[in-house]
Amino acid sequence: MMTCAYEDPKCELGLIVGTGTNACYMEELHNIETVEGNEGRMCVNVEWGAFGENGELDDFCTEFDRAVDECSNYPGKQRYEKMIGGMYLGEIVRNVLMDYTAKGLLFRGKVSERLKTRGIFETKFLSQIESDRLAMRQVRSILQHLGLAGSTCDDSVLVKEVCSVVARRAAQLCGAGLAALVDKIRQNRNLNQLSITVGVDGTLYKTHPHFSSIMQETLQDLAPQCEVTFLKSEDGSGKGAALITAVACRFKNEKLQ
């Protein structure tokens, strides 16, 4: 957010969609009960990856999400992140493929030992598969890597569809979270229309061919009164930290004068 706000003053929200996901935004100070004062705004780190830990996402979770959650290092935690972040999407796909194979819908019902390995289906495979217009060549190459050299064209089509659905859901969920934030900002300011910029970083957002467009479509559907511009952040952590340090030093020097 800080890096992009340097280029665009309307940037008041930061989003990362990479290995994990999180967001921050500028909240009206009078809405923050733990801080004294009513004037101005304060940056809030949403930590939205933890959303869903009290059952809010249960209606959207599938058996495959639950399998990924149960095998994670912290079951029951970071539920929203586990449905969006790059650390988990490949594993969701792998669980779907295992289930379909067990039901005889894939690979003639024969699963390879490599496919049984947790984490073997990397999230980058989703981007690679959907980046190829025909996709079949990429799918076959990936399936061979997973020890499924005897897969058929129908197998490739179904694997591509699974990857597409998992990525689409992740982008829609992310768009829904973003819609809630921008509409909250609009309501905070009593505006009929809000024009705002979001600074974005993260490998999943930047490398998946359809993630950003699906996320933006969902955002537009759910927050039609908000005109949102997306600005990609380059080296956001480094530049943002430098900008914050520079501002802090300026304030300190002004107080000493």
Side-chain angles (χ1 to χ4, degrees):
M1 184 184 73
M2 289 298 300
T3 303
C4 293
Y6 184 74
E7 301 177 34
D8 182 351
K10 290 200 302 182
C11 182
E12 296 185 81
L13 201 152
L15 169 69
I16 186 162
V17 192
T19 303
T21 183
N22 195 14
C24 67
Y25 74 105
M26 298 305 294
E27 178 60 85
E28 305 301 315
L29 198 61
H30 62 78
N31 287 334
I32 302 176
E33 297 178 358
T34 55
V35 178
E36 293 184 3
N38 292 316
E39 298 298 324
R41 293 166 184 158
M42 183 175 183
C43 180
V44 172
N45 175 7
V46 181
E47 288 292 356
W48 74 8
F51 179 64
E53 292 179 3
N54 295 315
E56 298 91 344
L57 293 170
D58 286 356
D59 289 343
F60 303 96
C61 284
T62 67
E63 60 185 286
F64 311 113
D65 296 305
R66 287 188 284 273
V68 170
D69 178 51
E70 289 167 4
C71 291
S72 70
N73 292 331
Y74 35 90
K77 304 294 183 181
Q78 299 294 109
R79 300 300 297 276
Y80 190 57
E81 183 169 81
K82 288 173 181 173
M83 300 172 80
I84 297 174
M87 180 179 288
Y88 307 99
L89 297 189
E91 186 63 7
I92 293 173
V93 169
R94 188 188 71 85
N95 276 275
V96 175
L97 300 185
M98 290 283 290
D99 181 72
Y100 282 11
T101 304
K103 293 176 178 175
L105 301 173
L106 272 174
F107 316 131
R108 301 183 182 88
K110 298 178 181 178
V111 65
S112 72
E113 288 302 315
R114 285 184 65 81
L115 189 60
K116 293 179 183 178
T117 305
R118 184 176 165 225
I120 196 69
F121 199 102
E122 300 175 53
T123 296
K124 69 177 183 180
F125 294 162
L126 279 73
S127 298
Q128 292 171 358
I129 286 171
E130 295 205 66
S131 294
D132 188 339
R133 288 184 179 179
L134 297 177
M136 296 306 105
R137 182 174 56 188
Q138 285 283 9
V139 177
R140 292 296 294 274
S141 174
I142 290 167
L143 293 181
Q144 287 176 1
H145 167 72
L146 297 174
L148 298 160
S151 61
T152 66
C153 183
D154 287 344
D155 289 333
S156 295
V157 170
L158 185 51
V159 169
K160 180 180 182 296
E161 182 65 19
V162 171
C163 290
S164 177
V165 168
V166 171
R168 171 173 284 277
R169 187 191 65 163
Q172 289 174 329
L173 284 168
C174 191
L178 203 54
L181 289 183
V182 296
D183 206 52
K184 185 180 193 307
I185 294 172
R186 182 188 67 79
Q187 293 178 37
N188 281 347
R189 300 175 189 178
N190 296 313
L191 298 173
N192 289 325
Q193 292 289 138
L194 172 71
S195 179
I196 193 168
T197 298
V198 178
V200 195
D201 203 353
T203 52
L204 182 58
Y205 179 89
K206 290 181 176 179
T207 62
H208 192 281
H210 309 304
F211 192 99
S212 60
S213 60
I214 294 170
M215 185 189 76
Q216 290 173 36
E217 288 170 8
T218 304
L219 170 59
Q220 185 60 43
D221 287 342
L222 298 178
Q225 293 172 275
C226 301
E227 180 185 340
V228 183
T229 300
F230 289 85
L231 188 60
K232 288 184 181 179
S233 171
E234 300 298 334
D235 187 25
S237 299
K239 292 179 181 177
L243 286 165
I244 291 171
T245 303
V247 171
C249 287
R250 188 189 72 187
F251 284 157
K252 182 179 179 180
N253 290 334
E254 287 175 354
K255 286 183 178 180
L256 294 176
Q257 292 175 358

